[in-house]
Amino acid sequence: MKKVLFAINTLNNGGAEKVLLTLLRYLDPKKYEIHLLVVQYDKTVFVSEAIRVAFGEMFGIELVQNAAVCYNPLEAKTIRRMAKAYKVAHDKFTICAVGRVIPEKGFLRLTSICEHMVEDGRDFTLNIVGDGKEYDRLKEMVESHHLEKWEHLIGFQENPYPYIKNADLFVCSSLNEGYNLAISEAVILGVPVISTDCSGIKENLGNGKWGYIVENRKETLYHAISRCFDEPGFLEELKKKSEAGSIQDTYEGRLKKIESIIEGVVN
């Protein structure tokens, strides 16, 4: 029987230990080395080139020689249609962030940035769409710092696209990533994107052609977001970048690549 392994996690910024633990669930560590699990597969498919390189460095050259990279297919027409499904209030400058509310997504530091912007006297709305194990902690931080007027915790939405579409800016504050689908969805919708630099993000944004990538620190992310208020031309530039990226890889093209990988293994 032919076997294909799809690897979707990241090894950067602490992700390696999590991947290691996940793999160990399928192994008897007394009998096998980690890389032996991987080489059992006829092909290993990674969600980004950054993850392929990291896995190759960790588990050996055998994996690199038997690997492929394929980005997740996103159906742009469906995303754009769903973005019109309901209305979202948009009466001031609106920032949107989407993802599981977990430490890796960096929503706590984004909330800290929100507080600094309030202290700066800026008028805006920050919508965080998602749920997760850190939701209660995030909610407590918003309430204890009296940020409810500015920061709104939307929770999980089966269709988050209207929140993205009706934003002036999409922000990814992640500490680490594999390949951030929400960023790609924001680009499809032509929404300006600012993201921290972590595994896979450069591929998400075409090395900065389709969005603005900053050093993975709270201070640099704060500065970049602030520029959108202070420099109208900067935000317009980001808008043009996102619109240019929205016509890149098609759903059909990515799907065909997955099919060709599987066919190549089977045949």
Side-chain angles (χ1 to χ4, degrees):
M1 178 184 293
K2 299 289 186 178
K3 295 180 289 185
V4 178
L5 173 66
F6 284 83
I8 62 172
N9 212 332
T10 177
L11 294 178
N12 290 357
N13 302 313
E17 292 80 6
K18 296 179 182 179
V19 174
L20 199 61
L21 290 173
T22 300
L23 291 175
L24 280 171
R25 294 175 187 169
Y26 302 96
L27 291 172
D28 177 354
K30 296 180 181 178
K31 295 181 180 180
Y32 302 103
E33 297 289 338
I34 291 295
H35 75 275
L36 292 181
L37 170 69
V38 180
V39 298
Q40 289 177 24
Y41 289 83
D42 298 281
K43 180 72 73 174
T44 303
V45 183
F46 297 94
V47 75
S48 72
E49 177 66 17
I51 295 178
R52 185 197 68 80
V53 171
F55 263 85
E57 291 174 349
M58 178 170 286
F59 297 131
I61 191 65
E62 299 94 341
L63 178 60
V64 178
Q65 293 175 334
N66 198 34
V69 174
C70 189
Y71 304 130
N72 289 317
L74 291 172
E75 198 164 9
K77 290 181 180 179
T78 300
I79 291 171
R80 290 174 184 135
R81 174 178 54 78
M82 292 176 67
K84 302 175 183 177
Y86 57 87
K87 294 183 178 181
V88 173
H90 187 192
D91 57 354
K92 61 184 68 176
F93 189 92
T94 301
I95 303 167
C96 183
V98 177
R100 289 176 297 152
V101 185
I102 55 177
E104 292 85 350
K105 295 296 183 180
F107 289 140
L108 291 180
R109 69 175 175 181
L110 184 57
T111 298
S112 179
I113 289 172
C114 173
E115 183 176 19
H116 287 310
M117 293 198 306
V118 170
E119 293 170 351
D120 292 339
R122 304 191 190 280
D123 192 20
F124 65 94
T125 294
L126 168 60
N127 290 323
I128 296 182
V129 183
D131 198 0
K133 63 182 181 181
E134 203 169 49
Y135 183 89
D136 290 340
R137 184 181 176 191
L138 181 62
K139 182 180 179 183
E140 180 183 352
M141 182 176 180
V142 171
E143 292 175 350
S144 64
H145 291 255
H146 308 292
L147 298 173
E148 298 94 332
K149 178 182 175 181
W150 298 272
E151 182 169 340
H152 304 155
L153 304 184
I154 308 302
F156 172 78
Q157 294 291 314
E158 191 167 331
N159 175 14
Y161 303 128
Y163 280 96
I164 300 175
K165 178 64 177 176
N166 288 279
D168 298 288
L169 176 67
F170 183 91
V171 172
C172 171
S173 55
S174 294
L175 302 173
N176 59 77
E177 283 286 352
Y179 187 86
N180 190 303
L181 288 179
I183 284 181
S184 295
E185 290 161 348
V187 170
I188 285 172
L189 293 171
V191 178
V193 175
I194 292 176
S195 176
T196 49
D197 186 5
C198 48
S199 179
I201 295 300
K202 286 187 172 68
E203 293 168 74
N204 268 121
L205 292 174
N207 283 317
K209 288 189 294 185
W210 307 320
Y212 193 66
I213 304 171
V214 303
E215 187 180 347
N216 203 330
R217 295 189 298 115
K218 184 180 77 173
E219 294 77 13
T220 51
L221 184 58
Y222 163 74
H223 177 68
I225 295 173
S226 297
R227 286 186 65 186
C228 295
F229 290 87
D230 301 334
E231 304 174 33
F234 177 64
L235 185 63
E236 184 60 29
E237 177 188 343
L238 295 185
K239 178 73 172 174
K240 291 178 180 178
K241 283 175 176 282
S242 186
E243 290 172 345
S246 67
I247 61 174
Q248 298 305 309
D249 289 347
T250 64
Y251 172 81
E252 292 79 9
R254 293 186 180 186
L255 200 60
K256 284 182 180 178
K257 184 170 183 180
I258 294 175
E259 291 173 352
S260 67
I261 290 171
I262 295 174
E263 288 174 359
V265 172
V266 173
N267 298 327

